[in-house]
Amino acid sequence: TAAANFDTAHPLYRAIAALSAIRRGTPALRQGATKLRAFSDKPGLLAVSRFDPATGREVVLAFNNSARPLSAHIAIDMKSSGFTPLYGDCPAAPAAPGSLLLSLPAFGTMICQASDQAE
């Protein structure tokens, strides 16, 4: 059509643009190996880890596909000792070595990149 079909100020457009920028800037999301961390056949938590092919650094992606907030512990790489939020509210550190406590609002999403790796 002759009219512009995309409103770059629309919240959905801006959210998709932000997620696209995260994917472009995070090698683990483009080409890293994937490890399933949590899932359910009912509404609830889906969590996966992706790993940077060059550094091995972990990126945790968690999705709450239910209408209720949730909290859950998931397994993570033992070397991941701190996290930086890429999207959403991420815990700064594991609850214990190899365990991350996630808290997600209803239909919430978070993307957390390991910022430190213990040796």
Side-chain angles (χ1 to χ4, degrees), residues 21-42:
I22 291 167
R23 183 181 180 276
R24 277 192 314 273
T26 310
L29 298 180
R30 292 192 319 274
Q31 53 194 335
T34 302
K35 185 165 188 171
L36 183 63
R37 298 298 191 179
F39 74 97
S40 174
D41 58 353
K42 297 178 182 173

Side-chain angles (χ1 to χ4, degrees), residues 2-116:
N5 292 313
F6 298 101
D7 177 1
T8 57
H10 191 279
L12 183 57
Y13 183 99
R14 295 170 64 103
I16 292 169
L19 291 171
S20 178
I22 291 167
R23 183 181 180 276
R24 277 192 314 273
T26 310
L29 298 180
R30 292 192 319 274
Q31 53 194 335
T34 302
K35 185 165 188 171
L36 183 63
R37 298 298 191 179
F39 74 97
S40 174
D41 58 353
K42 297 178 182 173
L45 177 64
L46 170 64
V48 297
S49 289
R50 298 288 307 263
F51 296 89
D52 186 304
T55 66
R57 185 167 290 187
E58 181 174 20
V59 176
V60 176
L61 299 97
F63 310 92
N64 178 1
N65 59 8
S66 75
R68 294 185 162 171
L70 64 77
S71 290
H73 287 272
I74 64 164
I76 57 169
D77 191 311
M78 291 291 288
K79 295 183 285 186
S80 297
S81 60
F83 286 91
T84 301
L86 299 179
Y87 188 84
D89 295 325
C90 296
S99 178
L100 190 64
L101 175 60
L102 302 178
S103 294
L104 288 163
F107 303 110
T109 301
M110 69 173 61
I111 304 172
C112 313
Q113 182 172 21
S115 53
D116 296 316

